Amino acid sequence: MINITLPDGSVKQVFKGSNALDLARQISEGLARNVLAAKVNGKVIDATLPLYEDAHLTLLTWNDPEGKSTMWHSSAHLMAEAIELLYPGVKFGIGPDIENGFYYDIDFGDYDISEKDFSKIEKKILELAKEKQTYQRKEVSKADALDYFSKKGDEYKLELIQDLEDGQITFYKSGQFTDLCRGPHIPNTGFIKAVKLTKVAGAYWRGDENRKQLTRIYGITFPKKKELTAYLEMLEEAKKRDHRVLGKELGLFTFSQKVGLGLPLWLPRGAVLREQLEQYLKRVQKEAGYEPVITPHIGNVNLYKTSGHYQKYGEESFKPIKTPVEGEEFFLKPMNCPHHCEIFNSSPHSYKELPIRYAEFGTVYRYEQSGELHGLTRVRGFTQDDAHIFCTPDQIKSEFNGVIDIVQQIFTAFNFNDVIIQISLRDPQHPEKYIGSDENWEKAENAIKEVAEERGLNAIVEYGEAAFYGPKMDFMVRDAIGRKWQLGTIQVDYNLPERFDLTYIGADNEKHRPVMIHRAPFGSMERFVAVLIEHCGGNFPLWLSPDQAIILPISEKYQNYAEKVLLLLKKHEIRTVIDDRSEKTGRKIRDAELKKIPYMLIVGEKEEASGSVSVRKHGEGDLGTFSIEDFAQKINSEVNKLINY
Ligand SMILES: [Zn+2]
Ligand SMILES: [Zn+2]
């Protein structure tokens, strides 16, 4: 017998050579029916692989990310089998799982494949799935592996095998399809109950544009039909919320080929939105003891040689700007930190001044390939809500706490209620990969872990994910339709203080090295606005809405009164516009609804006579008649409540 320790600490005894499925059956048949794979001593394996030694084991189901990825990778095999049966002679590249589903790169030879063929392939996949084909693992020698795929005539697999070491090669056979694969896979294809092929695209073999372009087919599978339905509904909803579409419809931002790819132009409404965000964060930061600084958009090449950014980004970034004077070279600023280090260095500091917190909405420029650009989420010029905290090693914990206060305040204000936090620490096996003393690393890592624990943050700890210069904490949010977005980060840095020779005078009158903390709760203004648009579908919270109210005079006769209302509301700092087109009121209401303006104020004879407005709320309807003063107060108290003044 061997002892298997489960995640809850309980120990089960099973016969040597039993597998994870046998163990699941010991617990319950119901559980066994849902097991897709197993994690044994940290490694995901087939649930059917025999176990010969004591181990720590986690049963993986559809509810575990690794269960999903095993299912999706196994689905790639199944799709390949279906395609091989329908299109004999095609050749296969690679077929991995991805964040949502899987793909397979295929050389279709003379066959012409388009989305029109999807339903035929999907039907075949489901037909094969019903056969409950098992995924049979087989270890093969390199010679046998090469022999198999030479006979099959698949040069892509042959090339992959050439790069593998003899003794480490495995095949998996399911139904009539044999693939070179290291696994793991689900027990059988019967788990796959619903499939949707989502996209066909070209993909160069091994990502090399000098090599052959294969056809990449993307798909996704589910263990239940209704999960596929829900997924397709989510995709439809995502299309409606696409920030590139809404950004245009709501007049927030645009792009111009003439200005350049990946360089957003903020339109007046977008600029108002962005200004509100900046003012909000500036106020929060001022309360938290940050001081504003302003730095230029370019910096001398030597600045980036000192910071190390030149060595790291110099080659694959924008080329240096040369001045008419010989030997002068400048770079577009890829990061604000080097500039802030020089601000710190501009005067001597005593420990009594620390922590020092410099904040700047700093615009940076980074080269991205044109194919990688996407709306506001991947751009070449963007503004970070950046700040750098210079503190002593002992202050890291309280500074982290302070930054998390700001981050949480922001998430509440924007209705991000589902936050995922990741703490990235050193790889304890390889301390040599990191700079900075062991003592300081331990101090920082413990501080971060303690903060997370004390605040009851449900943080995932990842070892080996830290940057070489310090540990960090990343924040991801789940939006209203369940998608994950990476937002802000807090990062400890021992490297730049070293490189810029930053010092402060300690209580002992000696020079000491401060620690630097980089933090940007929004990440960048561009990315944050994109996420916000998709999260709220363009229905911004009242305090952010570029136009908070629109006045709709029912005819030209009431234009003067409308302007009087506008003036009064502007005095109360309520962002208001008038729809003075000679359209019917019904049409004006419909258009205001489409523009997602929170309040519509209808004015006619009755309103003018009583000095009032008839209020309609976006998406809700009639709220009745208000005096102008009462309406202004209603709006302002609503705004104050939303951002906790
Ligand atoms: Zn596989
Ligand atoms: Zn920085």
Side-chain angles (χ1 to χ4, degrees), residues 20 40 93 154 173 177 222 274 377 379 401 423 477 493 586:
V40 175
D154 191 328
K173 183 169 184 287
F177 182 70
F222 295 91
R274 198 171 135 159
T377 54
V379 287
N401 253 319
I423 297 174
V477 292
D493 185 353

Side-chain angles (χ1 to χ4, degrees), residues 73 77 172 179-185:
H73 167 69
H77 283 248
Y172 275 86
D179 208 347
L180 166 74
C181 188
R182 71 172 84 87
H185 300 93

Side-chain angles (χ1 to χ4, degrees), residues 335-337 386-388 496 516 518-519:
M335 300 217 178
N336 303 301
C337 351
D386 213 355
H388 295 98
L496 288 184
M516 205 170 156
H518 312 249
R519 45 108 281 177

Side-chain angles (χ1 to χ4, degrees), residues 508-561:
D508 54 2
N509 254 326
E510 298 285 325
K511 275 187 178 176
H512 294 274
R513 199 62 89 210
V515 181
M516 205 170 156
I517 297 174
H518 312 249
R519 45 108 281 177
F522 289 156
S524 82
M525 302 307 285
E526 284 73 10
R527 187 175 174 78
F528 190 76
V529 169
V531 174
L532 195 59
I533 293 172
E534 304 219 359
H535 178 49
C536 67
N539 294 300
F540 298 111
L542 181 64
W543 66 278
L544 267 183
S545 212
D547 298 319
Q548 294 170 308
I550 182 164
I551 304 166
L552 313 175
I554 60 172
S555 83
E556 275 166 42
K557 260 168 67 187
Y558 308 104
Q559 181 67 19
N560 281 343
Y561 178 61

